[in-house]
C-alpha cells in the first residue's frame, strides 16, 4: 500500500511537471491575453481608441531635438496616469522604431533576477503585438540572470498598460517585454550591458521604463519626494538614485527599470533627460485630505547625445581672471547665491520650493550647475546637474535644496546650522568630447570620463584643491568616481569630455 501510494505520488508529480513545462512553453509561444483590460483601461476597442486619441490631443510637450532613445512612463489606470503618459508617447508618434523594449517591475510575483518574454505575442483590445524573438535570443545569451519566468507575466500590468499607447503611435514594430524582480545594482548593470550589446549601433530601438513614483498617505509630501527623485533622474545619477531608493528618501515603484534604462542610455551616449509632465493622484482627484493614498506620475524623455561639435575644447566658454567659464557679472553672481540660500531656508522651514519671478536672460538659459555646501571648511553637501535641463535659476534653486537635503553621504542640513554654511556655485559650460588627454588642461577644465556603463566627473576646482597633476587628476577620476582602473584614461576605449566652470562662493562677495 505504501509502495502504491509512493508510485501514485510520483505519477502525479511527473504529470504536474509535464503540465507545468507544457504551460510554460505554450505560454511563451502563444498569445499573452490582456490582464487589465476593463480595469486599467477600456475593454471596448472603439472606446479605448477614443480615450487614447483624447489623451494624445491634449498633450503638448516641449519639442525635443535629436533622437529619442527612451521614455519613462507611468503605469497606473488610465484615468489617473493616461494624460501624463500621453506626453511621452505624443513625441514618438510615427517614428521609425522597429524594436520597443519595455521594462517593468513585478507587482504580484516574487522572484530574483530578470524575466524575459522570449517569443509569442501580447494581446490588447487594439490587436496583437509580437515579440522580437531575435532580439530576445541575444539578451538570453548575454546573461544568466535573464530567463523566462512565466508567472511574472500572468497578472502583471506594468508592461501591458504601455501597449495600447504604442499601438496608437507606432506601426510595424515588435516588443521585448522584461520584468525585473528582486535585483541589486549589479543586476541592473548586467542587464544594461546586455541591452547595450544587443542594441549595438541601431537607431531604431526605443526603451520604455514603466514606473509610478511616490506611494503613500501624505499628499503634501508627494511632490517634494518626487521632485527630489526627478532631480537624480535628470542628473542620471544611478548610484545616488539606487541609494535613495534603498534608504527610502526617494521613491519609484519601477526603480530598477529606471536605473537600468539610465545606465544603458549613458553607455550609448544619450545624456539629456527632460521631465515632460508631472502630477499625482491627489491633484487629479482633488482629494487632498490627510490619510488619502497618493501616487505620483511623471513622463520623461531621454535622448540627445553629448555634443561633440566643432568647438575647440581649449576655447569652450570665455575666460575670466580665474580661468573659468564666465557668463555672470558680479551682481548676477550675488543674485545666484541669494537664490540658493533663500531656497534652502524656505525648504527647511516649510518644505516648499520658493517661486521665483526671473526676467534676466542669463538666468533663463539652460545650464548645468553644481551647488556645494561647506561648514567650517568641510564639505557638507554637493549635488549638481551636469547637463542643463532647465533654466539656470531653477537649476541653482533645486540643486541648492538637494545639496542640503538630498546628498546621501550626509545628514540633512538643519535650520539651526544654516548660518554656519557657506555656499559655492559652479555654473558649467557645455561638454565637449576630446580625442585624448593631451587636449585637456589641468588645472582649468573639469573632466567627465566614460567607459561602457561606468562614468565619473570631477569639477575643475578639484585640481586646485588637491594640487594634483593631470595624470593624478585623471587616475583618481577613473578609480574614485568611475570605478575603472586608474590608468583607463590612457586607453582608446575610454571616452573623455571636458568642460569649464564659473565658480564663485559667498566668501568671494
Amino acid at each position: 500500500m505504501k509502495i502504491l501510494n509512493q508510485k501514485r505520488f510520483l505519477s502525479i508529480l511527473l504529470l504536474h511537471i509535464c503540465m507545468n513545462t507544457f504551460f510554460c512553453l505554450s505560454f511563451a509561444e502563444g498569445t499573452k491575453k490582456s490582464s487589465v483590460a476593463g480595469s486599467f483601461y477600456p475593454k471596448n476597442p472603439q472606446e479605448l481608441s477614443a480615450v487614447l486619441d483624447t489623451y494624445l490631443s491634449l498633450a503638448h510637450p516641449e519639442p525635443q531635438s535629436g533622437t529619442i532613445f527612451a521614455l519613462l512612463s507611468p503605469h497606473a489606470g488610465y484615468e489617473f496616469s493616461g494624460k501624463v503618459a500621453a506626453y511621452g508617447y505624443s513625441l514618438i508618434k510615427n517614428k521609425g522604431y522597429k524594436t520597443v523594449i519595455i521594462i517593468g517591475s513585478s507587482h504580484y510575483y516574487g522572484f530574483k533576477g530578470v524575466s524575459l518574454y522570449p517569443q509569442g505575442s501580447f494581446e490588447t483590445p487594439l490587436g496583437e503585438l509580437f515579440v522580437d524573438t531575435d532580439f530576445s535570443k541575444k539578451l538570453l545569451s548575454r546573461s544568466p540572470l535573464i530567463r523566462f519566468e512565466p508567472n511574472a507575466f500572468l497578472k502583471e500590468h506594468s508592461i501591458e498598460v504601455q501597449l495600447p499607447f504604442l499601438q496608437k503611435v507606432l506601426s510595424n514594430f515588435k516588443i521585448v517585454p522584461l520584468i525585473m524582480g528582486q535585483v541589486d545594482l549589479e543586476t541592473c548593470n548586467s542587464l544594461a550591458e546586455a541591452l547595450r550589446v544587443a542594441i549595438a549601433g541601431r537607431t531604431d530601438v526605443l526603451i520604455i521604463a514603466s514606473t509610478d513614483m511616490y506611494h503613500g498617505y501624505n499628499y503634501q509630501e508627494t511632490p517634494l519626494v518626487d521632485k527630489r527623485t526627478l532631480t537624480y533622474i535628470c542628473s542620471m545619477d544611478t548610484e545616488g538614485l539606487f541609494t535613495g531608493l534603498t534608504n527610502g528618501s526617494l521613491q519609484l515603484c519601477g526603480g530598477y527599470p529606471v536605473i537600468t534604462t539610465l545606465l544603458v542610455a549613458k553607455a550609448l551616449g544619450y545624456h539629456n533627460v527632460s521631465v515632460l509632465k508631472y502630477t499625482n493622484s491627489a491633484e487629479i482627484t482633488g482629494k487632498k485630505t490627510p490619510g488619502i493614498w497618493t501616487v505620483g506620475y511623471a513622463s520623461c524623455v531621454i535622448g540627445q547625445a553629448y555634443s561633440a561639435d566643432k568647438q575647440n575644447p581649449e576655447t569652450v566658454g570665455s575666460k575670466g581672471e580665474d580661468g573659468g567659464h564666465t557668463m555672470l557679472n558680479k551682481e548676477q553672481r550675488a543674485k545666484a547665491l541669494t537664490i540658493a540660500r533663500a531656497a534652502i531656508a524656505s525648504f527647511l522651514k516649510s518644505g516648499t520650493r520658493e517661486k521665483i519671478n526671473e526676467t534676466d536672460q542669463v538666468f533663463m538659459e539652460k545650464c548645468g550647475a553644481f551647488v556645494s555646501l561647506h561648514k567650517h571648511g568641510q564639505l557638507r553637501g554637493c549635488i549638481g546637474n551636469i547637463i542643463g535641463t532647465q533654466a539656470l535659476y531653477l537649476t541653482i534653486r533645486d540643486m541648492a535644496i538637494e545639496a542640503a537635503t538630498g546628498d546621501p553621504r550626509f545628514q540633512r542640513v538643519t535650520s539651526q546650522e544654516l548660518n554656519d554654511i557657506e555656499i559655492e556655485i559652479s555654473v558649467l559650460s557645455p561638454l565637449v568630447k576630446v580625442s585624448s588627454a593631451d587636449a585637456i588642461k589641468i588645472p582649468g577644465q573639469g573632466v567627465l570620463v566614460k567607459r561602457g556603463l561606468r562614468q565619473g566627473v570631477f569639477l575643475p576646482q578639484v585640481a586646485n584643491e588637491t594640487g594634483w597633476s593631470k595624470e593624478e587628476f585623471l587616475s583618481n577620476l577613473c578609480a574614485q568616481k568611475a570605478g575603472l582602473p586608474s590608468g583607463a584614461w590612457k586607453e582608446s576605449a575610454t571616452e573623455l569630455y571636458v568642460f569649464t566652470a564659473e565658480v564663485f562662493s559667498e566668501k568671494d562677495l
Side-chain angles (χ1 to χ4, degrees), residues 40-61:
F40 277 61
Y41 57 80
K43 190 173 185 178
N44 178 276
Q46 290 74 30
E47 182 182 354
L48 174 58
S49 182
V51 165
L52 291 170
D53 285 338
T54 299
Y55 290 161
L56 292 166
S57 68
L58 293 174
H60 300 289

Side-chain angles (χ1 to χ4, degrees), residues 337 370-372 374 422-426 461 465 503-505:
L337 291 163
F370 276 71
V371 176
S372 303
H374 293 85
E422 180 183 282
I423 300 175
E424 177 184 274
I425 297 175
S426 301
Q461 55 264 45
E465 294 168 355
V503 184
F504 50 95
S505 169

Side-chain angles (χ1 to χ4, degrees), residues 397-418:
R397 180 197 67 180
D398 293 346
M399 295 306 101
I401 292 171
E402 293 308 317
T405 65
D407 191 329
R409 299 170 295 177
F410 302 94
Q411 295 291 324
R412 289 168 60 104
V413 170
T414 65
S415 297
Q416 291 71 28
E417 65 178 318
L418 188 54

Side-chain angles (χ1 to χ4, degrees), residues 48-103:
L48 174 58
S49 182
V51 165
L52 291 170
D53 285 338
T54 299
Y55 290 161
L56 292 166
S57 68
L58 293 174
H60 300 289
E62 182 178 342
Q64 303 291 306
S65 59
T67 301
I68 293 176
F69 175 71
L71 300 178
L72 275 55
S73 187
H75 57 226
Y78 281 8
E79 62 181 308
F80 293 101
S81 67
K83 291 180 181 178
V84 176
Y87 273 73
Y89 285 108
S90 65
L91 286 176
I92 64 167
K93 189 172 184 179
N94 298 324
K95 301 291 186 182
Y97 299 106
K98 297 301 180 184
T99 301
V100 179
I101 303 159
I102 311 164
I103 313 176

Side-chain angles (χ1 to χ4, degrees), residues 248-320:
S249 62
L250 310 176
Q251 284 199 41
L252 288 170
C253 68
Y256 300 134
V258 170
I259 289 171
T260 301
T261 300
L262 292 173
L263 285 168
V264 68
K266 287 192 292 184
L268 292 171
Y270 298 95
H271 295 269
N272 185 19
V273 183
S274 298
V275 180
L276 303 173
K277 183 67 175 178
Y278 170 80
T279 190
N280 59 69
S281 58
E283 294 290 340
I284 293 169
T285 63
K287 296 179 180 178
K288 299 180 181 180
T289 55
I292 292 293
W293 181 253
T294 308
V295 180
Y297 312 114
S299 177
C300 303
V301 62
I302 303 174
Q304 189 92 41
Y306 282 143
S307 175
D309 55 23
K310 297 180 180 180
Q311 297 181 78
N312 183 340
E314 295 186 1
T315 61
V316 175
S318 57
K319 301 294 174 72

